[in-house]
Amino acid sequence: MNDAALDVRPSAQFRHLYQPPKIAGDFAGKHIITVEQFDKADLDAVIQSAGTLRERVLRRDGEVVRLCEGRIMASLFYEASTRTDMSFQAAMRRLGGSVVFGSNGVQFSSVYKGENLADTVRAAGCYADLIALRHPAEGSSFQAAYYLDKLNERIEKPCVVVSGGDGIGEHPTQGLLDLFTIVDQKGSVDGLAITLVGDLLYGRTVHSLAKLLAMFEATGVKLCFVSPPSLKMPDTVLDFVQKHGINVHETSDLHEVLGQSDVVYWTRVQEERFARQADYEAVRDMFVMTPAVLNQCKRDVILMHPLPRKYEMGTYNDHDILDQNPRSVYFQQMENGMYVRMALLAKVMGADV
Ligand code: ASP
């Protein structure tokens, strides 16, 4: 697909133009495009439902397939994805719904003829009940929600969008699965020292996760952001977190904080977001998690990573050693993605979970 076919027109303006609905205890029929739509009670509800759905899937509760029976999800991925796309699709199918478009759908669609995002989203909106959208432009999920609201006024069957990542903006469902994993592994976020490491500027998962953790300010959670100076957490996220009264420690010195962290969240330097390859290469190897680095952490630390991993986890041999360490929870994190997306899809489709 050439660049012209990827609609990267100024979606960013929709971030200001479109005010997403707050969840406020009622998920049914709502778009999910930013974690700012959630309050603490909504987060507790997602965590609770994801846990229940996991149990039900594991005991092969046949009724799970009734929750989204007859519902159709369109999977609209304009950007590469392994886990998000697969787990959204698996979640919908486990709930008894089906998927249209699917992997590679975008490549062989009218997007190739130059159709813009607004029109492709509205086409999907006419046929599906829900769109899982990933797009390289920040604000694209806001743009999709804006156009779907307009479409919904004109057609019989409404459709909502759930973001699977909007460029360097947010990745709300990843943030929720990360939060679920922390609570699942640690019991709660109470008083935890949570350190986010790596590309905090372009990494959308850390934007969503930091905002979500900020909502737990009353629990005494502490945040630490470790990045190269050129890849610091954007001010918008920092402001959001600080407005919630969280004390954030920002540093480029990992060793200053590693030994005090209860959760270490490692990230990939987002090569595809850099304008100049040399800028990427200058920071690529600044933070590399290896077995020796993990040994400097607390005994009961959990090591998380949204994946995929490249240079920031050393060699394949390092991967193998890290993977066997019980402190590494990124495989559980990956599996949890499906349960959390099941919870969200079922709730947004109005099921009682
Ligand atoms: N898979 C995550 C994302 O889509 C993290 C990454 O790509 O590094 O944002």
Side-chain angles (χ1 to χ4, degrees):
M1 205 181 331
N2 61 31
D3 278 357
L6 290 173
D7 179 38
V8 286
R9 281 182 291 170
S11 303
Q13 63 184 239
F14 286 90
R15 263 199 175 260
H16 311 290
L17 195 71
Y18 183 78
Q19 192 62 45
K22 295 278 180 205
I23 304 294
D26 181 12
F27 290 75
K30 304 239 171 99
H31 308 296
I32 307 280
I33 55 180
T34 164
V35 294
E36 293 182 34
Q37 291 170 260
F38 293 76
D39 61 26
K40 174 84 174 38
D42 301 323
L43 299 178
D44 291 339
V46 172
I47 291 170
Q48 172 80 34
S49 301
T52 307
L53 282 166
R54 174 170 61 187
E55 246 175 57
R56 292 178 66 178
V57 166
L58 296 181
R59 80 174 125 87
R60 297 185 179 274
D61 172 354
E63 288 304 302
V64 169
V65 295
R66 303 263 171 276
L67 294 171
C68 284
E69 196 174 30
R71 300 304 199 136
I72 294 182
M73 179 181 89
S75 176
L76 238 61
F77 277 63
Y78 289 71
E79 236 188 9
S81 172
T82 299
R83 281 148 284 270
T84 306
D85 192 14
M86 233 194 291
S87 62
F88 259 115
Q89 294 199 39
M92 195 42 147
R93 293 198 166 113
R94 283 185 185 273
L95 293 166
S98 46
V99 181
V100 292
F101 232 45
S103 310
N104 301 326
V106 166
Q107 273 95 324
F108 295 104
S109 70
S110 289
V111 172
Y112 186 74
K113 301 178 191 170
E115 185 170 63
N116 67 25
L117 176 65
D119 285 350
T120 303
V121 158
R122 281 177 292 188
C126 287
Y127 310 127
D129 303 293
L130 183 145
I131 297 171
L133 175 70
R134 169 170 290 185
H135 192 279
E138 186 176 7
S140 48
S141 48
F142 287 67
Q143 186 179 6
Y146 171 87
Y147 282 106
L148 281 176
D149 283 355
K150 298 232 168 293
L151 176 75
N152 288 339
E153 289 166 11
R154 304 283 298 278
I155 63 169
E156 301 294 329
K157 173 209 58 56
C159 182
V160 294
V161 60
V162 180
S163 171
D166 66 324
I168 60 166
E170 271 206 43
H171 196 342
T173 62
Q174 175 80 42
L176 291 165
L177 79 88
D178 292 338
L179 177 66
F180 176 81
T181 303
I182 294 171
V183 173
D184 195 42
Q185 292 286 329
K186 289 287 190 183
S188 74
V189 297
D190 294 4
L192 293 180
I194 301 179
T195 298
L196 312 182
V197 186
D199 185 348
L200 306 187
L201 179 64
Y202 298 131
R204 56 192 168 202
T205 74
V206 284
H207 301 165
S208 292
L209 180 59
K211 288 185 193 175
L212 284 172
L213 291 169
M215 298 178 204
F216 289 80
E217 79 279 7
T219 65
V221 66
K222 291 180 275 305
L223 292 184
C224 184
F225 298 157
V226 182
S227 70
S230 59
L231 297 177
K232 283 171 76 177
M233 191 65 96
D235 285 343
T236 47
V237 180
L238 208 56
D239 288 350
F240 183 96
V241 170
Q242 282 168 342
K243 271 200 192 105
H244 278 76
I246 300 267
N247 203 346
V248 181
H249 179 57
E250 282 189 287
T251 178
S252 299
D253 183 1
L254 179 65
H255 301 282
E256 187 192 313
V257 294
L258 209 52
Q260 285 105 58
S261 305
D262 302 297
V263 176
V264 173
Y265 188 100
W266 214 257
T267 65
R268 175 178 72 91
V269 180
Q270 309 279 298
E271 181 175 3
E272 66 275 31
R273 311 290 181 205
F274 284 75
R276 291 176 354 142
Q277 185 67 12
D279 293 341
Y280 163 68
E281 278 162 17
V283 288
R284 193 187 85 175
D285 300 318
M286 239 180 113
F287 297 107
V288 180
M289 172 53 74
T290 61
V293 175
L294 186 57
N295 278 341
Q296 295 168 35
C297 295
K298 280 185 168 181
R299 294 195 75 79
D300 63 348
V301 73
I302 57 168
L303 173 64
M304 300 177 69
H305 194 309
L307 301 173
R309 56 186 164 182
K310 209 172 171 189
Y311 300 108
E312 76 288 355
M313 267 207 185
T315 62
Y316 287 155
N317 190 39
D318 290 328
H319 292 185
D320 288 345
I321 298 168
L322 289 167
D323 296 352
Q324 283 167 38
N325 194 312
R327 296 186 274 184
S328 302
V329 300
Y330 33 83
F331 293 112
Q332 291 94 317
Q333 198 181 343
M334 219 181 334
E335 182 185 6
N336 289 340
M338 184 175 70
Y339 304 124
V340 168
R341 291 185 175 113
M342 284 176 78
L344 281 171
L345 295 182
K347 282 177 172 300
V348 167
M349 290 290 92
D352 187 17
V353 280

